[in-house]
Amino acid sequence: MAKDKKQVEQITDMEVDFTKWYTDVCKKAELIDYSSVKGLMILRPYGYAIWENIMGELDRRFKATGHQNVSMPMLIPESLLQKEKDHVEGFAPECAWVTFGGTEELEERLCIRPTSETLFCEHWHNIVHSWRDLPLLYNQWCSVLRWEKTTRPFLRHREFLWQEGHTLHATAEEAIAETEQQLETYADFCENILAMPVIRGCKTDKEKFAGAERTYTIECMMHDRKALQSGTSHYFGDGFCKAFDITFADKDNKQINPHQTSWGVSTRIIGGIIMTHGDNNGLVLPPKIAPIQVVVLPIAQHKEGVIEKATELVARLEALGLRVKGDFSDNSPGWKFAEYEMKGVPLRVEIGPKDIEENHCVAVSRVSGEKTIVSLDDLETKIPELLNDVQNGLFNKAKQNLEEHSYSATSLDATRQLVEENGGFVKTMWCGDEACEIAMKERAGVTSRCIPFQQEHIGDVCPVCGKPAKTMVIWGVAY
RNA sequence: CCGGGUGUGGCGCAGUUGGUAGCGCGCUUGACUGGGGGUCAAGAGGCCGCAUGUUCAAGUCAUGUCACUCGGACCA
């Protein structure tokens, strides 16, 4: 088999048109479909199965760190939304409103939640009284609505699924620790489950969340070398609590405003998985998140004993706790090969009469296309090993992409040139002045992705204004 | 939100000066096949995105609208 031969004709090559490739994958892998309202998407069973696995992994981690799930209302009265000034300014332009109940116009219009900080705050105002009530570690899985102008599958929906964690703490230190802990949860999840290497850091004031005092982010590099913010956590200080009059009596019986955080990951990250690991044959899924980890394909299944043997393989692999599918439909083997490649199944196991005779099967990696003859006696040890190879291979490939396309620069012109020629991330020093950040956007075409935790010393001055530099910033073109 | 493009069976497309819709793939049934998208045969499936208008007559012309898409602006 020619490994680099293109086998799936329906998908546009990513080198030809990356955007088209991306939407082709979303549709042909049956992840998503359009509905009749712009930006409101249908997550098909296979796409939703990926989200279910993401939810499972994250939810387990949240609960392990003491968080509880809740369900808040979907509608926010306008007066409630307006209590925190920066927040409403940030979100008002993209709110959708409910103005009628039945046939009667409402006295106060209701916003369909774009995020739920205000709802949590209103509730907390009622239930928080004492230092004994803190901390409150809440999370909810829900959908939110933001009236975006440009929409794209997974990357920018108007309605999207996410989790939003909201917590309340007695002290700033504790809240900041929570914010950092949750970012680390996201980073660990991205790297170890989704095989997506991340850069951890803070957003600049210009890029931070509306109403937040500090916004943390993990940034990933996509195959086209653009940046995708894959998870974010916010430290709010006590700003919302003051606006919503949330106070508690501390041990000295003083009334104090608590400190607040929020953090979220959305279905957007599925777009990240697609653009990090996918190739010209379609989707490629890391085994740890794949709805189907191994597909077992019988060859010449009408021949005696083939279906029985294949069924047995499915059962043996399932007994290992793997997510396995046997495809016994009457499509041709070639059709099935292409189908499961398009859907990104990490490992394919072929079993036919010749294999049965020789007591082995053939395992084929989705990433390398490499065929491995596996003795049926070694099935239980060999298949998990091969899956592990795929998982690690994907991470290393993505890491290589990130490292090969990360540059340093000491001038604005050099930054522009690097990004124009190669895309990717450029590290420079920065004075901290928003004017210089805007200049980078206008003259080099990049926005600040983050101020990474891992700082490097690239120079002493800001490349834009020449004043003394405060920090190193990573710049890039973002989704 | 501004500018360009596109909406015709499930998917991809054709449809001339307006005259009552066609092709490929897929789908259904059967047989033969089966280690990279098989072969043959017989079938089913369409208010031409939606609305209004012009006309004896609209997929085709006009206006509006909705969606998709590519740029740009906007966006945690």
Side-chain angles (χ1 to χ4, degrees):
Chain A
M1 181 187 88
K3 246 198 300 188
D4 47 0
K5 185 175 165 268
K6 192 183 162 208
Q7 286 140 11
V8 180
E9 299 301 332
Q10 295 102 316
I11 297 175
T12 309
D13 277 355
M14 62 171 85
E15 293 78 12
V16 173
D17 184 342
F18 192 82
T19 313
K20 186 85 174 13
W21 168 83
Y22 175 78
T23 42
D24 279 355
V25 173
C26 289
K27 292 216 67 183
K28 305 287 175 166
E30 297 181 348
L31 302 178
I32 216 160
D33 203 2
Y34 296 100
S35 76
S36 51
V37 182
K38 180 186 172 74
L40 275 63
M41 307 295 204
I42 294 155
L43 274 193
R44 302 184 64 184
Y46 194 61
Y48 193 73
I50 297 173
W51 182 238
E52 282 181 309
N53 289 342
I54 291 171
M55 284 195 283
E57 288 287 345
L58 285 176
D59 203 63
R60 176 148 39 83
R61 286 167 165 78
F62 297 159
K63 284 176 178 154
T65 42
H67 300 87
Q68 293 179 295
N69 285 336
V70 296
S71 178
M72 299 298 280
M74 168 193 254
L75 300 177
I76 308 173
E78 184 166 21
S79 55
L80 192 60
L81 193 69
Q82 285 179 334
K83 283 199 174 182
E84 213 287 338
K85 193 176 134 289
D86 291 339
H87 187 67
V88 69
E89 275 176 17
F91 281 102
E94 48 189 74
C95 285
W97 297 94
V98 174
T99 56
F100 274 82
T103 54
E104 284 179 34
E105 190 161 0
L106 302 174
E107 284 198 14
E108 179 178 16
R109 57 181 187 158
L110 305 170
C111 176
I112 300 170
R113 63 180 167 210
T115 179
S116 305
E117 273 76 8
T118 54
L119 291 162
F120 278 92
C121 284
E122 183 194 38
H123 174 56
W124 288 338
H125 167 79
N126 294 325
I127 66 162
V128 172
H129 311 289
S130 153
W131 63 273
R132 293 177 213 275
D133 297 327
L134 299 176
L136 290 176
L137 305 175
Y138 286 3
N139 177 62
Q140 82 167 337
W141 294 94
C142 65
S143 74
V144 289
L145 195 73
R146 300 177 186 180
W147 215 250
E148 305 285 355
K149 287 165 181 169
T150 304
T151 61
R152 295 189 61 194
F154 292 117
L155 299 174
R156 183 153 273 116
H157 292 189
R158 281 177 172 172
E159 184 193 21
F160 57 91
L161 298 170
W162 76 345
Q163 60 68 216
E164 46 178 329
H166 295 267
T167 70
L168 206 55
H169 305 263
T171 65
E173 295 69 38
E174 207 186 291
I176 289 168
E178 164 79 9
T179 318
E180 290 173 356
Q181 171 191 283
Q182 292 314 104
L183 190 83
E184 191 50 39
T185 296
Y186 290 152
D188 175 72
F189 167 73
C190 263
E191 297 198 322
N192 293 314
I193 303 298
L194 304 184
M196 292 165 66
V198 304
I199 295 171
R200 302 154 170 84
C202 279
K203 285 291 186 189
T204 60
D205 284 350
K206 185 175 178 293
E207 297 283 329
K208 75 184 185 187
F209 181 81
E213 201 157 288
R214 199 185 299 172
T215 289
Y216 295 90
T217 177
I218 48 173
E219 299 285 328
C220 296
M221 188 186 287
M222 302 294 103
H223 217 93
D224 61 352
R225 300 167 198 175
K226 283 164 83 169
L228 186 80
Q229 177 180 307
S230 300
T232 179
S233 68
H234 315 288
Y235 167 63
F236 288 106
D238 58 5
F240 275 80
C241 290
K242 282 183 171 145
F244 283 81
D245 191 28
I246 303 168
T247 62
F248 69 97
D250 72 2
K251 291 177 185 175
D252 302 324
N253 200 27
K254 272 189 295 201
Q255 290 296 315
I256 292 179
N257 294 118
H259 293 72
Q260 183 185 354
T261 84
S262 79
W263 26 276
V265 155
S266 73
T267 42
R268 189 176 209 218
I269 204 161
I270 297 174
I273 298 171
I274 297 166
M275 291 194 295
T276 302
H277 302 307
D279 65 20
N280 285 338
N281 287 338
L283 187 61
V284 179
L285 290 173
K288 287 186 183 173
I289 212 70
I292 303 168
Q293 295 172 304
V294 183
V295 64
V296 175
L297 299 183
I299 306 295
Q301 57 179 317
H302 66 291
K303 298 255 172 72
E304 203 186 325
V306 173
I307 286 189
E308 288 75 6
K309 201 63 172 177
T311 308
E312 185 191 315
L313 291 194
V314 171
R316 283 173 65 183
L317 293 172
E318 278 177 341
L320 296 175
L322 296 176
R323 298 183 286 271
V324 188
K325 172 173 175 165
D327 187 341
F328 301 104
S329 70
D330 59 3
N331 289 307
S332 73
W335 186 91
K336 291 178 188 173
F337 296 164
E339 175 69 9
Y340 293 102
E341 272 165 19
M342 191 147 64
K343 290 193 151 186
V345 175
L347 203 62
R348 171 174 92 226
V349 169
E350 302 171 15
I351 179 100
K354 291 176 219 160
D355 303 308
I356 295 172
E357 216 169 279
E358 291 163 40
N359 193 45
H360 65 223
C361 62
V362 179
V364 186
S365 159
R366 173 62 179 85
V367 179
S368 61
E370 203 177 315
K371 293 192 174 184
T372 310
I373 308 277
V374 177
S375 163
L376 294 186
D377 300 332
D378 302 335
L379 192 76
E380 278 81 359
T381 54
K382 205 69 191 165
I383 297 298
E385 271 175 35
L386 289 168
L387 282 172
N388 211 33
D389 290 348
V390 172
Q391 183 81 28
N392 294 335
L394 287 175
F395 181 81
N396 292 335
K397 221 166 130 184
K399 183 148 192 157
Q400 193 182 344
N401 185 48
L402 173 62
E403 283 168 359
E404 280 179 1
H405 301 106
S406 293
Y407 313 93
S408 299
T410 52
S411 74
L412 192 149
D413 281 342
T415 305
R416 177 174 45 73
Q417 204 176 335
L418 279 166
V419 169
E420 271 175 12
E421 284 172 14
N422 313 297
F425 295 165
V426 180
K427 304 171 201 171
T428 77
M429 301 310 286
W430 181 49
C431 63
D433 201 333
E434 193 167 313
C436 294
E437 195 177 350
I438 293 167
M440 273 290 198
K441 161 90 178 158
E442 285 172 353
R443 289 157 56 197
V446 290
T447 53
S448 71
R449 298 328 313 147
C450 71
I451 303 166
F453 295 158
Q454 276 191 358
Q455 285 283 309
E456 294 166 41
H457 184 81
I458 293 168
D460 298 316
V461 296
C462 173
V464 182
C465 66
K467 281 189 267 189
K470 284 185 185 150
T471 52
M472 182 191 85
V473 172
I474 293 182
W475 308 88
V477 179
Y479 270 101

